[in-house]
Amino acid sequence: LLPRQMVALVGPSGCGKTTLLSIVGALDTEFEGRAQLLGHDLATMSDDERSRLRAMRIGFVFQSFCLLDHLTVQQNVEVPLWLRDDAPDAAASAKRASEVLERVGLAGREGESVMQLSGGERQRVAVARAIVNRPKLLLADEPTGNLDGATGEKIFELFDSIRTDDDCAVLIATHDAALAQRADRIVTLEDGRIVDTVDVVPPRRSAAP
């Protein structure tokens, strides 16, 4: 994965897309072979080192959102900041959370309960939480799977802006063929193995008359 590159993982349910995301995201250490991420050999890192890598360099967006219902919108976004070794003070943390919430279109919603939000809004909070630490790698597991088409399109546009504006690589596991075709590369998995890798050629634009 290169900065600003978007790669789509595709394949049938159970083929290993989520497992691969977990390995790449330094969550799953039970794998064979060698895995390197951002200059680190994941197999030789300690639990603490992997935790720091996740906190500082990697953002996660889950299909089921994985928000904390007892926290406000702002507090959910701030959680990764609280986990940093150099955690900012309360004022700086709140300011950063407001910045990313504005970016995902939820300015002014900081004090609301996430229980009051629609599915699309909850996913936007999840995206804000994932990018609050300015990660270099954004991982998304079926991020549009629970959303209607129009809302899913807006979430994809968010990912597209994040990777281009933040020099962030994006790896998405998806069943959405149309979304996959808009990535830079499509990686197909079957039975836990990569069986195909295709670089997607962007459609040619018609010359101006």
Side-chain angles (χ1 to χ4, degrees), residues 169-189:
V170 179
L171 181 61
I172 299 177
T174 183
H175 282 103
D176 187 333
L179 187 153
Q181 287 293 329
R182 295 166 65 181
D184 300 308
R185 177 175 295 172
I186 300 175
V187 176
T188 303
L189 279 71

PDB file of all heavy atoms in Angstrom, residues 169-189:
ATOM      1  N   ALA A 169      -3.154   5.823   3.100  1.00  0.00           N
ATOM      2  CA  ALA A 169      -3.533   4.646   2.326  1.00  0.00           C
ATOM      3  C   ALA A 169      -4.825   4.079   2.904  1.00  0.00           C
ATOM      4  O   ALA A 169      -5.053   4.120   4.117  1.00  0.00           O
ATOM      5  CB  ALA A 169      -2.430   3.598   2.380  1.00  0.00           C
ATOM      6  N   VAL A 170      -5.692   3.552   2.033  1.00  0.00           N
ATOM      7  CA  VAL A 170      -6.991   3.036   2.457  1.00  0.00           C
ATOM      8  C   VAL A 170      -7.153   1.606   1.956  1.00  0.00           C
ATOM      9  O   VAL A 170      -6.971   1.334   0.765  1.00  0.00           O
ATOM     10  CB  VAL A 170      -8.143   3.915   1.920  1.00  0.00           C
ATOM     11  CG1 VAL A 170      -9.490   3.357   2.357  1.00  0.00           C
ATOM     12  CG2 VAL A 170      -7.987   5.357   2.390  1.00  0.00           C
ATOM     13  N   LEU A 171      -7.487   0.700   2.870  1.00  0.00           N
ATOM     14  CA  LEU A 171      -7.735  -0.703   2.526  1.00  0.00           C
ATOM     15  C   LEU A 171      -9.158  -1.037   2.949  1.00  0.00           C
ATOM     16  O   LEU A 171      -9.504  -0.956   4.127  1.00  0.00           O
ATOM     17  CB  LEU A 171      -6.741  -1.615   3.246  1.00  0.00           C
ATOM     18  CG  LEU A 171      -6.840  -3.124   2.968  1.00  0.00           C
ATOM     19  CD1 LEU A 171      -6.612  -3.424   1.489  1.00  0.00           C
ATOM     20  CD2 LEU A 171      -5.832  -3.885   3.825  1.00  0.00           C
ATOM     21  N   ILE A 172     -10.006  -1.384   1.977  1.00  0.00           N
ATOM     22  CA  ILE A 172     -11.427  -1.620   2.219  1.00  0.00           C
ATOM     23  C   ILE A 172     -11.793  -3.051   1.861  1.00  0.00           C
ATOM     24  O   ILE A 172     -11.500  -3.519   0.755  1.00  0.00           O
ATOM     25  CB  ILE A 172     -12.299  -0.660   1.382  1.00  0.00           C
ATOM     26  CG1 ILE A 172     -12.019   0.795   1.742  1.00  0.00           C
ATOM     27  CG2 ILE A 172     -13.772  -0.964   1.579  1.00  0.00           C
ATOM     28  CD1 ILE A 172     -12.808   1.790   0.901  1.00  0.00           C
ATOM     29  N   ALA A 173     -12.435  -3.755   2.780  1.00  0.00           N
ATOM     30  CA  ALA A 173     -13.043  -5.049   2.478  1.00  0.00           C
ATOM     31  C   ALA A 173     -14.498  -4.793   2.118  1.00  0.00           C
ATOM     32  O   ALA A 173     -15.218  -4.131   2.872  1.00  0.00           O
ATOM     33  CB  ALA A 173     -12.954  -5.986   3.681  1.00  0.00           C
ATOM     34  N   THR A 174     -14.925  -5.285   0.963  1.00  0.00           N
ATOM     35  CA  THR A 174     -16.276  -4.951   0.517  1.00  0.00           C
ATOM     36  C   THR A 174     -16.872  -6.029  -0.376  1.00  0.00           C
ATOM     37  O   THR A 174     -16.158  -6.758  -1.067  1.00  0.00           O
ATOM     38  CB  THR A 174     -16.267  -3.605  -0.243  1.00  0.00           C
ATOM     39  OG1 THR A 174     -17.598  -3.253  -0.618  1.00  0.00           O
ATOM     40  CG2 THR A 174     -15.401  -3.677  -1.489  1.00  0.00           C
ATOM     41  N   HIS A 175     -18.214  -6.134  -0.322  1.00  0.00           N
ATOM     42  CA  HIS A 175     -18.964  -6.937  -1.282  1.00  0.00           C
ATOM     43  C   HIS A 175     -19.542  -6.068  -2.392  1.00  0.00           C
ATOM     44  O   HIS A 175     -20.170  -6.579  -3.325  1.00  0.00           O
ATOM     45  CB  HIS A 175     -20.132  -7.659  -0.575  1.00  0.00           C
ATOM     46  CG  HIS A 175     -19.716  -8.865   0.193  1.00  0.00           C
ATOM     47  ND1 HIS A 175     -19.589  -8.862   1.561  1.00  0.00           N
ATOM     48  CD2 HIS A 175     -19.373 -10.117  -0.218  1.00  0.00           C
ATOM     49  CE1 HIS A 175     -19.213 -10.068   1.961  1.00  0.00           C
ATOM     50  NE2 HIS A 175     -19.067 -10.839   0.902  1.00  0.00           N
ATOM     51  N   ASP A 176     -19.348  -4.770  -2.287  1.00  0.00           N
ATOM     52  CA  ASP A 176     -19.925  -3.818  -3.235  1.00  0.00           C
ATOM     53  C   ASP A 176     -19.026  -3.719  -4.468  1.00  0.00           C
ATOM     54  O   ASP A 176     -17.960  -3.079  -4.437  1.00  0.00           O
ATOM     55  CB  ASP A 176     -20.060  -2.448  -2.551  1.00  0.00           C
ATOM     56  CG  ASP A 176     -20.813  -1.435  -3.399  1.00  0.00           C
ATOM     57  OD1 ASP A 176     -20.790  -1.565  -4.635  1.00  0.00           O
ATOM     58  OD2 ASP A 176     -21.417  -0.510  -2.821  1.00  0.00           O
ATOM     59  N   ALA A 177     -19.430  -4.358  -5.563  1.00  0.00           N
ATOM     60  CA  ALA A 177     -18.613  -4.393  -6.768  1.00  0.00           C
ATOM     61  C   ALA A 177     -18.384  -2.997  -7.340  1.00  0.00           C
ATOM     62  O   ALA A 177     -17.295  -2.684  -7.839  1.00  0.00           O
ATOM     63  CB  ALA A 177     -19.260  -5.292  -7.817  1.00  0.00           C
ATOM     64  N   ALA A 178     -19.409  -2.143  -7.282  1.00  0.00           N
ATOM     65  CA  ALA A 178     -19.273  -0.796  -7.826  1.00  0.00           C
ATOM     66  C   ALA A 178     -18.251   0.007  -7.031  1.00  0.00           C
ATOM     67  O   ALA A 178     -17.443   0.748  -7.594  1.00  0.00           O
ATOM     68  CB  ALA A 178     -20.628  -0.093  -7.827  1.00  0.00           C
ATOM     69  N   LEU A 179     -18.273  -0.135  -5.696  1.00  0.00           N
ATOM     70  CA  LEU A 179     -17.301   0.561  -4.856  1.00  0.00           C
ATOM     71  C   LEU A 179     -15.900   0.046  -5.152  1.00  0.00           C
ATOM     72  O   LEU A 179     -14.949   0.823  -5.289  1.00  0.00           O
ATOM     73  CB  LEU A 179     -17.649   0.374  -3.387  1.00  0.00           C
ATOM     74  CG  LEU A 179     -16.842   1.162  -2.353  1.00  0.00           C
ATOM     75  CD1 LEU A 179     -17.677   1.406  -1.103  1.00  0.00           C
ATOM     76  CD2 LEU A 179     -15.550   0.458  -1.971  1.00  0.00           C
ATOM     77  N   ALA A 180     -15.752  -1.271  -5.266  1.00  0.00           N
ATOM     78  CA  ALA A 180     -14.440  -1.861  -5.521  1.00  0.00           C
ATOM     79  C   ALA A 180     -13.838  -1.337  -6.819  1.00  0.00           C
ATOM     80  O   ALA A 180     -12.632  -1.088  -6.911  1.00  0.00           O
ATOM     81  CB  ALA A 180     -14.547  -3.380  -5.567  1.00  0.00           C
ATOM     82  N   GLN A 181     -14.669  -1.138  -7.836  1.00  0.00           N
ATOM     83  CA  GLN A 181     -14.185  -0.674  -9.127  1.00  0.00           C
ATOM     84  C   GLN A 181     -13.643   0.749  -9.067  1.00  0.00           C
ATOM     85  O   GLN A 181     -12.943   1.192  -9.983  1.00  0.00           O
ATOM     86  CB  GLN A 181     -15.291  -0.767 -10.174  1.00  0.00           C
ATOM     87  CG  GLN A 181     -15.611  -2.175 -10.620  1.00  0.00           C
ATOM     88  CD  GLN A 181     -14.465  -2.817 -11.395  1.00  0.00           C
ATOM     89  OE1 GLN A 181     -13.707  -2.128 -12.077  1.00  0.00           O
ATOM     90  NE2 GLN A 181     -14.336  -4.126 -11.292  1.00  0.00           N
ATOM     91  N   ARG A 182     -13.935   1.465  -7.997  1.00  0.00           N
ATOM     92  CA  ARG A 182     -13.458   2.840  -7.872  1.00  0.00           C
ATOM     93  C   ARG A 182     -12.169   2.929  -7.070  1.00  0.00           C
ATOM     94  O   ARG A 182     -11.614   4.013  -6.881  1.00  0.00           O
ATOM     95  CB  ARG A 182     -14.554   3.698  -7.242  1.00  0.00           C
ATOM     96  CG  ARG A 182     -15.773   3.804  -8.153  1.00  0.00           C
ATOM     97  CD  ARG A 182     -16.975   4.344  -7.443  1.00  0.00           C
ATOM     98  NE  ARG A 182     -16.787   5.717  -7.010  1.00  0.00           N
ATOM     99  CZ  ARG A 182     -17.703   6.413  -6.348  1.00  0.00           C
ATOM    100  NH1 ARG A 182     -18.869   5.847  -6.059  1.00  0.00           N
ATOM    101  NH2 ARG A 182     -17.482   7.654  -5.986  1.00  0.00           N
ATOM    102  N   ALA A 183     -11.673   1.788  -6.603  1.00  0.00           N
ATOM    103  CA  ALA A 183     -10.374   1.747  -5.932  1.00  0.00           C
ATOM    104  C   ALA A 183      -9.261   1.753  -6.979  1.00  0.00           C
ATOM    105  O   ALA A 183      -9.505   1.596  -8.178  1.00  0.00           O
ATOM    106  CB  ALA A 183     -10.283   0.503  -5.058  1.00  0.00           C
ATOM    107  N   ASP A 184      -8.038   1.919  -6.527  1.00  0.00           N
ATOM    108  CA  ASP A 184      -6.896   1.874  -7.436  1.00  0.00           C
ATOM    109  C   ASP A 184      -6.515   0.435  -7.771  1.00  0.00           C
ATOM    110  O   ASP A 184      -5.963   0.164  -8.836  1.00  0.00           O
ATOM    111  CB  ASP A 184      -5.682   2.565  -6.804  1.00  0.00           C
ATOM    112  CG  ASP A 184      -5.957   4.021  -6.475  1.00  0.00           C
ATOM    113  OD1 ASP A 184      -6.412   4.745  -7.373  1.00  0.00           O
ATOM    114  OD2 ASP A 184      -5.714   4.422  -5.325  1.00  0.00           O
ATOM    115  N   ARG A 185      -6.798  -0.462  -6.833  1.00  0.00           N
ATOM    116  CA  ARG A 185      -6.422  -1.866  -7.033  1.00  0.00           C
ATOM    117  C   ARG A 185      -7.482  -2.751  -6.377  1.00  0.00           C
ATOM    118  O   ARG A 185      -8.020  -2.412  -5.329  1.00  0.00           O
ATOM    119  CB  ARG A 185      -5.050  -2.145  -6.420  1.00  0.00           C
ATOM    120  CG  ARG A 185      -4.582  -3.592  -6.497  1.00  0.00           C
ATOM    121  CD  ARG A 185      -3.170  -3.739  -5.978  1.00  0.00           C
ATOM    122  NE  ARG A 185      -2.229  -3.018  -6.842  1.00  0.00           N
ATOM    123  CZ  ARG A 185      -0.933  -2.842  -6.554  1.00  0.00           C
ATOM    124  NH1 ARG A 185      -0.463  -3.303  -5.421  1.00  0.00           N
ATOM    125  NH2 ARG A 185      -0.151  -2.202  -7.395  1.00  0.00           N
ATOM    126  N   ILE A 186      -7.768  -3.881  -7.011  1.00  0.00           N
ATOM    127  CA  ILE A 186      -8.706  -4.855  -6.458  1.00  0.00           C
ATOM    128  C   ILE A 186      -7.942  -6.147  -6.181  1.00  0.00           C
ATOM    129  O   ILE A 186      -7.278  -6.689  -7.070  1.00  0.00           O
ATOM    130  CB  ILE A 186      -9.869  -5.131  -7.422  1.00  0.00           C
ATOM    131  CG1 ILE A 186     -10.650  -3.845  -7.710  1.00  0.00           C
ATOM    132  CG2 ILE A 186     -10.793  -6.201  -6.846  1.00  0.00           C
ATOM    133  CD1 ILE A 186     -11.737  -4.017  -8.757  1.00  0.00           C
ATOM    134  N   VAL A 187      -8.038  -6.609  -4.933  1.00  0.00           N
ATOM    135  CA  VAL A 187      -7.387  -7.861  -4.526  1.00  0.00           C
ATOM    136  C   VAL A 187      -8.487  -8.868  -4.206  1.00  0.00           C
ATOM    137  O   VAL A 187      -9.338  -8.605  -3.350  1.00  0.00           O
ATOM    138  CB  VAL A 187      -6.479  -7.649  -3.298  1.00  0.00           C
ATOM    139  CG1 VAL A 187      -5.883  -8.974  -2.830  1.00  0.00           C
ATOM    140  CG2 VAL A 187      -5.370  -6.650  -3.621  1.00  0.00           C
ATOM    141  N   THR A 188      -8.485  -9.997  -4.891  1.00  0.00           N
ATOM    142  CA  THR A 188      -9.513 -11.023  -4.710  1.00  0.00           C
ATOM    143  C   THR A 188      -8.972 -12.154  -3.850  1.00  0.00           C
ATOM    144  O   THR A 188      -7.875 -12.672  -4.101  1.00  0.00           O
ATOM    145  CB  THR A 188      -9.969 -11.585  -6.069  1.00  0.00           C
ATOM    146  OG1 THR A 188     -10.442 -10.503  -6.886  1.00  0.00           O
ATOM    147  CG2 THR A 188     -11.090 -12.605  -5.881  1.00  0.00           C
ATOM    148  N   LEU A 189      -9.776 -12.535  -2.844  1.00  0.00           N
ATOM    149  CA  LEU A 189      -9.407 -13.620  -1.942  1.00  0.00           C
ATOM    150  C   LEU A 189     -10.352 -14.797  -2.116  1.00  0.00           C
ATOM    151  O   LEU A 189     -11.552 -14.616  -2.359  1.00  0.00           O
ATOM    152  CB  LEU A 189      -9.450 -13.171  -0.475  1.00  0.00           C
ATOM    153  CG  LEU A 189      -8.242 -12.400   0.083  1.00  0.00           C
ATOM    154  CD1 LEU A 189      -8.168 -10.997  -0.507  1.00  0.00           C
ATOM    155  CD2 LEU A 189      -8.319 -12.318   1.605  1.00  0.00           C
TER     156      LEU A 189
END
